[in-house]
Amino acid sequence: MDFRSNALNAPARLTARLIALLALVALGAQALVTAALYPEYSALDTAWHMLRYFTNLTALLALVTFAGMGATRRGAHRLWLGGLALWEGMTAAIYHLLLAREGLTGLELWADHGLHTVLPGAVLLWWLVFARKDRMRPWAAVAWLVWPGIYIGYALARGQSDGFYPYFFLDPEQVRWDGVAVWSGMIGLGFFAGGLVLLFLARLLRR
């Protein structure tokens, strides 16, 4: 990568396109799984249901970002790419620590691990190898909390509207509202700690 012009070299462009394709395939597989679970849903209902999950929304951000980089041959802003790497990494961490399901087979297995394991790993690896890491400041770890914060507000608003909460730790019927507050605070701290780790790696790798 040319750090002066932000142009992507050939390997960075190729892998960006592959990651965009991976995100598209994983989201497509999840759409098929969702449609099978809810056969009464229309295509729009399926999409609306999928868009209540942080995993799917963040995968969509990755798809747009990497497709855009592959098409324009220029890297996205370093702050955005660092945030995307963090959000995908935390998606994998939270899933495997709190939400992982056993006994999955077939397309459901591929969709689950495509979105929660393979895509996060690919995004993190791309960030480590190709992303710009100069001029990364400590306040970035705070800025990267904006998207998770927006998501929590959005998920709670949708849950209040239709009674469906996408994760147990955001469901006041399961953990009560004080539990939602505690879990949200813990998850926020996890994202902040992950951001500090990313900043440390950025400083280490640019030397």
Side-chain angles (χ1 to χ4, degrees):
M1 179 181 296
D2 183 346
F3 286 143
R4 293 168 296 176
S5 67
N6 206 28
L8 298 179
N9 59 28
R13 293 196 304 271
L14 175 60
T15 50
R17 292 165 185 163
L18 290 174
I19 290 173
L21 179 60
L22 170 62
L24 180 63
V25 170
L27 285 168
Q30 185 59 57
L32 292 175
V33 169
T34 303
L37 288 173
Y38 302 96
E40 71 278 14
Y41 280 4
S42 68
L44 286 177
D45 290 333
T46 298
W48 183 235
H49 180 82
M50 288 179 62
L51 290 176
R52 69 170 74 242
Y53 290 92
F54 183 84
T55 297
N56 298 332
L57 289 166
T58 305
L60 188 59
L61 294 178
L63 169 59
V64 172
T65 299
F66 282 92
M69 291 195 297
T72 63
R73 303 183 178 186
R74 294 181 62 82
H77 193 279
R78 63 178 72 83
L79 183 64
W80 176 256
L81 286 174
L84 196 57
L86 172 65
W87 304 328
E88 282 288 354
M90 289 299 296
T91 293
I94 291 172
Y95 173 79
H96 287 287
L97 288 173
L98 299 175
L99 303 170
R101 296 176 295 166
E102 297 181 356
L104 299 179
T105 59
L107 188 62
E108 192 173 12
L109 176 66
W110 285 101
D112 220 48
H113 284 284
L115 288 168
H116 296 104
T117 307
V118 182
L119 181 61
V123 171
L124 279 167
L125 184 60
W126 195 95
W127 180 83
L128 287 169
V129 176
F130 296 114
R132 292 184 61 171
K133 302 172 187 68
D134 56 320
R135 292 185 290 172
M136 300 285 280
R137 301 290 182 261
W139 59 263
V142 177
W144 291 333
L145 296 178
V146 171
W147 167 233
I150 290 173
Y151 172 76
I152 288 174
Y154 160 77
L156 291 176
R158 282 194 63 172
Q160 285 288 285
S161 174
D162 60 20
F164 186 97
Y165 295 88
Y167 304 108
F168 77 87
F169 46 78
L170 295 180
D171 187 348
E173 294 185 4
Q174 294 192 53
V175 298
R176 301 188 307 180
W177 281 108
D178 56 343
V180 170
V182 170
W183 273 105
S184 297
M186 291 172 59
I187 289 170
L189 286 174
F191 273 89
F192 181 69
L196 293 179
V197 171
L198 231 65
L199 290 171
F200 172 76
L201 291 173
R203 184 175 182 181
L204 195 67
L205 291 171
R206 72 171 184 256
R207 288 183 176 178

